[in-house]
């Protein structure tokens, strides 16, 4: 049984330093793994990433993270990732990692995901080159999820960590007119095929907490949705135990 703390959209900055440090300190000795679902910073500045890096460096368990759209806003995503990597964070970008936890292997596939929409309002691979480039970007993200899940097929516990939503289930509460920009159902195709134990994402601040892709549970762990600093849950490779939402209201 592995205990995991997950959060998305922490939007680190100097203004949130105290809160972030306190929330990470509260995890000590309570969890085996921390997962961060993008929008790690407010505007994608390396100095903001350092705030989160300082907190992560004090956690004595593995931390894995993906970037979000805020982290790429200033065009300095590589620098943001480098700051966090220097603090020991496993930064995942169309990649995967395996960790030995509680006597078994946990595999994590991580990538940003991207936009494109859902049934009834989805972006096609047609028309202007700029729009087709958007479609191609989402294709590359979905292909990375597929490759990652193939690579961790042997793991007892398999997790997909995203920023953008792979299902509209967790977007209810957001205006339906912007769902196209909050995720893409094409990200769900490899998830439905390889059936990981759980999928985590953020981005949709006004969305819903829980959804599913087939039998795979999907959780929107944006702190604005969970109402807590971390969503804490347990996995044993067969079931997801009842959640505990650790921390105070954001």
């Amino acid at each position: 049984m592995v205990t995991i703390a997950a959060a998305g959209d922490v939007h680190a900055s100097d203004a949130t330093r105290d809160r972030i440090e306190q929330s990470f300190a509260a995890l000590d000795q309570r969890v085996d793994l921390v997962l961060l679902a993008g929008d790690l910073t407010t505007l994608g500045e390396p100095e903001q990433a350092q705030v989160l890096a300082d907190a992560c460096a004090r956690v004595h368990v593995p931390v894995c993270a993906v970037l979000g759209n805020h982290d790429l806003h200033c065009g300095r995503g590589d620098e943001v990732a480098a700051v966090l990597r220097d603090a020991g964070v496993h930064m995942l970008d169309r990649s995967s990692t395996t960790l030995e936890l509680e006597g078994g292997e946990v595999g994590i596939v991580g990538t940003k995901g991207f936009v494109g929409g859902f049934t009834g309002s989805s972006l096609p691979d047609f028309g202007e080159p700029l729009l087709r480039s958007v479609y191609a970007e989402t294709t590359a993200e979905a292909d990375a999820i597929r490759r990652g899940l193939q690579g961790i097929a042997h793991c007892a516990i398999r997790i997909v960590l995203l920023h953008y939503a792979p299902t509209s289930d967790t977007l209810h509460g957001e205006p339906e007119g912007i769902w196209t920009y909050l995720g893409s159902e094409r990200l769900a195709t490899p998830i439905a095929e390889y059936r990981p134990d759980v999928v985590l994402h953020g981005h949709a601040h006004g969305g819903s907490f829980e959804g599913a892709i087939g039998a795979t549970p999907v959780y929107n762990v944006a702190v604005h949705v969970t109402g807590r600093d971390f969503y804490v849950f347990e996995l044993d490779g067969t079931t997801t135990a009842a959640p505990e939402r650790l921390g105070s209201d954001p």
Side-chain angles (χ1 to χ4, degrees):
M1 186 75 73
V2 175
T3 304
I4 299 166
D9 304 80
V10 298
H11 296 297
S13 69
D14 279 335
T16 60
R17 179 181 290 275
D18 288 347
R19 178 186 178 84
I20 287 173
E21 290 180 350
Q22 290 168 13
S23 67
F24 274 79
L27 297 177
D28 199 26
Q29 317 240 340
R30 299 190 64 178
V31 303
D32 305 303
L33 174 64
V34 178
L35 300 176
L36 301 175
D39 278 4
L40 313 172
T41 64
T42 302
L43 292 173
E45 297 172 348
E47 297 79 9
Q48 295 172 344
Q50 189 64 57
V51 172
L52 183 60
D54 290 344
C56 290
R58 298 187 183 101
V59 175
H60 299 103
V61 298
V63 181
C64 298
V66 298
L67 297 180
N69 56 306
H70 279 244
D71 306 315
L72 300 170
H73 175 72
C74 288
R76 304 177 73 182
D78 289 346
E79 295 175 68
V80 168
V83 168
L84 289 159
R85 199 176 290 115
D86 287 347
V89 178
H90 299 266
M91 295 302 301
L92 301 176
D93 181 13
R94 298 182 183 174
S95 59
S96 63
T97 190
T98 58
L99 302 169
E100 191 75 23
L101 299 174
E102 296 299 312
E105 274 196 297
V106 177
I108 303 138
V109 176
T111 195
K112 166 177 58 67
F114 203 45
V115 302
F118 302 87
T119 301
S121 181
S122 57
L123 180 70
D125 186 18
F126 181 83
E128 298 177 51
L130 283 174
L131 288 176
R132 296 193 70 192
S133 294
V134 172
Y135 188 94
E137 179 74 6
T138 305
T139 299
E141 294 288 306
D143 288 346
I145 296 170
R146 177 175 287 104
R147 289 194 306 273
L149 285 170
Q150 290 169 346
I152 65 167
H154 64 285
C155 292
I157 294 173
R158 297 168 301 131
I159 300 166
V160 174
L161 179 65
L162 304 169
H163 182 60
Y164 288 87
T167 173
S168 61
D169 287 358
T170 49
L171 300 183
H172 291 280
E174 293 279 10
E176 195 164 344
I178 68 169
W179 285 9
T180 300
Y181 310 107
L182 297 177
S184 173
E185 65 186 357
R186 293 196 295 125
L187 302 172
T189 301
I191 293 167
E193 181 178 358
Y194 290 97
R195 295 176 290 180
D197 295 286
V198 68
V199 178
L200 306 172
H201 75 87
H203 191 47
H205 294 191
S208 302
F209 174 61
E210 188 171 5
I213 297 170
T216 299
V218 179
Y219 297 109
N220 177 359
V221 294
V223 297
H224 313 76
V225 173
T226 65
R228 296 292 186 269
D229 296 318
F230 286 97
Y231 163 56
V232 179
F233 62 104
E234 294 179 330
L235 282 177
D236 65 4
T238 58
T239 60
T240 304
E244 169 194 1
R245 303 186 192 182
L246 179 66
S248 56
D249 293 339

